[in-house]
Amino acid sequence: MATEQTAITRATFDEVILPVYAPAEFIPVKGKGSRVWDQQGNEYVDFAGGIAVTALGHCHPALVEALKTQGETLWHTSNVFTNEPALRLGRKIIEATFADRVLFMNSGTEANETAFKLARHYAITRHSPYKTKIIAFHNAFHGRSLFTVSVGGQPKYSDGFGPKPADIIHVPFNDLSAVKAVMDDHTCAVVVEPVQGEGGVTAATPAFLQGLRELCDQHQALLVFDEVQSGMGRTGKLFTYMHYGVTPDILTSAKALGGGFPVSAVLATQDVASAFHVGSHGSTYGGNPLACAVAGAAFDIINTPEVLDGVNAKREQFVRHLRAIDEQYDLFSDIRGMGLLIGAELKPAYKGRARDFLYAAASEGLMVLNAGPDVMRFAPSLVVESADIDEGMARFAKAVARVTG
Ligand SMILES: *Cc1c(COP(=O)(O)O)cnc(C)c1O
């Protein structure tokens, strides 16, 4: 067959991939820092960061070096044998956070699946077989396996797949009295994103997270923070819980953790971790040497004052530009989020049109994200250059002129 000779185009996507995505018309083929090039050689400024993943930009030399070196050394051992990169990375994470133990997985979904199973198992084995209720929030996003999508708070993602895992309750985000109303001794965990990402870039209030901690303590429930999107420097601290002074019992990390190489982690206290025993849970690839070597290199760069302290200055530069665009086009009802997870909610006149702005941005040479139909989302590299911010925002202003004009 001539398959090898046939050109790869956007049309190929519809011929070979299950129809679950609607990717942009162009196909990126190369990236460097915060710039990306497509098949035709068009250049883009990247404010999407692969959905908050490429936290050190594309092809960061230290990550490339770690990948090459490990790639010539040892790729895979499975969990029957441990490996040095995983143990090194685990030690770094424990030294820098509340956690006493870590388990590596391959995606945000898997980390959350692990976290929810751990929370249930802890409650069932330590307290009661009936302590299984999980409290989660409207608009939350925790992944796409049947358990994680059911804990997520968007029924449009979880409906249509038959019976869902039971005993999961959703209440409004940032509404402590709504949590109080459903919290009881049968609750095993409260699961929350400190900053809701997919749900619209909404930060938790300090009183809300503090209140959740107190309620969990009163009812011997575990507090689980999903920091898959908000973690690893995204908001200017290593993890967002550090801004709030509220410590979870379990925390999940993924996205930026590997800087673009798939890897995730579940962080837990010693007490919680000890509910699991040999055989309780596992993964063939989780914690493989390649992923952990790259993540280790990313961790060493992200967890420094230079990178973490730079996040807020860069945020200010973004927000200045967004305000200027808003002044000219009367576009946003709110500019929010934390650090370099920035949301700009569209005014009623442009409600539902976030994707139009995204497509217009692409044709001006800019990659951005939306978070639902009404919110533009910016999740650039944490080390995005000041000149790239200016250039990308100039392109965004042109895209806005196009859509509103
Ligand atoms: C992206 C995301 C997930 C799912 O991660 P995958 O790697 O896509 O499985 C879970 N939780 C949050 C908060 C996310 O942003």
Side-chain angles (χ1 to χ4, degrees):
M1 302 301 280
T3 313
E4 287 298 322
Q5 278 74 46
T6 309
I8 297 291
T9 66
R10 175 60 178 75
T12 316
F13 177 89
D14 299 324
E15 292 161 19
V16 304
I17 305 294
L18 265 72
V20 297
Y21 308 119
E25 285 303 317
F26 68 93
I27 299 183
V29 293
K30 197 177 100 166
K32 187 75 200 149
S34 287
R35 304 274 172 149
V36 169
W37 290 265
D38 69 13
Q39 290 176 311
Q40 281 69 42
N42 300 312
E43 175 247 26
Y44 301 81
V45 174
D46 185 5
F47 287 167
I51 319 187
V53 168
T54 47
L56 295 172
H58 295 276
C59 301
H60 188 288
L63 273 57
V64 171
E65 180 57 37
L67 183 62
K68 276 190 181 161
T69 303
Q70 191 61 43
E72 289 167 352
T73 308
L74 182 69
W75 284 30
H76 178 77
T77 59
S78 88
N79 51 51
V80 178
F81 311 94
T82 189
N83 69 79
E84 291 180 355
L87 299 178
R88 267 189 218 111
L89 177 61
R91 193 183 263 163
K92 285 182 220 254
I93 291 173
I94 286 168
E95 277 170 8
T97 66
F98 77 95
D100 305 308
R101 294 289 185 275
V102 183
L103 187 66
F104 294 111
M105 291 279 144
N106 309 286
S107 67
T109 295
E110 284 178 67
N112 283 330
E113 182 83 19
T114 305
F116 304 161
K117 282 180 69 182
L118 176 58
R120 281 257 176 99
H121 198 64
Y122 178 88
I124 287 169
T125 54
R126 295 291 166 84
H127 297 292
S128 141
Y130 304 107
K131 195 172 172 64
T132 54
K133 186 199 281 186
I134 292 176
I135 298 175
F137 297 96
H138 294 164
N139 293 320
F141 185 79
H142 300 300
R144 296 295 202 132
S145 68
L146 195 54
F147 194 2
T148 57
V149 85
S150 301
V151 175
Q154 300 201 52
K156 69 171 184 212
Y157 292 142
S158 54
D159 287 350
F161 299 99
K164 295 176 191 179
D167 217 6
I168 300 165
I169 286 189
H170 297 96
V171 295
F173 184 67
N174 271 339
D175 184 344
L176 196 58
S177 56
V179 180
K180 264 186 202 148
V182 295
M183 188 89 183
D184 56 20
D185 288 342
H186 297 300
T187 304
C188 76
V190 175
V191 176
V192 65
E193 296 160 87
V195 183
Q196 283 196 337
E198 303 302 312
V201 193
T202 312
T205 62
F208 181 61
L209 292 189
Q210 190 63 55
L212 293 182
R213 180 70 272 174
E214 285 162 15
L215 283 173
C216 283
D217 291 344
Q218 278 164 27
H219 294 277
Q220 295 181 296
L222 298 180
L223 183 58
V224 180
F225 280 0
D226 178 348
E227 292 226 32
V228 166
Q229 187 156 167
S230 66
M232 286 310 298
R234 179 58 48 194
T235 66
K237 292 203 187 277
L238 185 63
F239 288 102
T240 298
Y241 81 84
M242 296 168 175
H243 285 290
Y244 287 86
V246 176
T247 306
D249 302 291
I250 303 176
L251 180 149
T252 54
S253 175
K255 292 204 162 89
L257 182 64
F261 200 100
V263 60
S264 64
V266 182
L267 284 59
T269 61
Q270 158 60 21
D271 176 43
V272 172
S274 68
F276 269 0
H277 296 285
V278 174
S280 297
H281 191 66
S283 160
T284 299
Y285 294 124
N288 72 79
L290 270 181
C292 292
V294 177
F299 193 96
D300 288 342
I301 299 171
I302 290 174
N303 195 31
T304 56
E306 301 83 79
V307 170
L308 295 176
D309 294 347
V311 166
N312 268 325
K314 292 175 200 297
R315 175 189 177 82
E316 276 166 26
Q317 197 182 340
F318 268 94
V319 170
R320 266 201 310 278
H321 280 292
L322 287 171
R323 293 231 165 89
I325 290 170
D326 185 40
E327 236 160 64
Q328 194 174 351
Y329 297 98
D330 195 27
L331 194 60
F332 303 127
S333 54
D334 193 17
I335 296 170
R336 62 184 182 231
M338 287 174 77
L340 285 173
L341 187 52
I342 302 166
E345 184 171 8
L346 297 167
K347 283 209 158 148
Y350 299 101
K351 274 245 178 303
R353 295 192 62 192
R355 283 228 146 209
D356 294 343
F357 288 93
L358 194 142
Y359 293 134
S363 46
E364 295 295 343
L366 176 69
M367 300 159 94
V368 291
L369 300 166
N370 63 314
D374 307 326
V375 178
M376 303 307 302
R377 175 173 38 154
F378 303 85
S381 155
L382 306 182
V383 295
V384 57
E385 307 264 342
S386 178
D388 289 336
I389 300 176
D390 290 340
E391 176 59 26
M393 276 297 163
R395 295 179 189 187
F396 187 61
K398 282 189 201 159
V400 168
R402 210 187 251 246
V403 175
T404 59

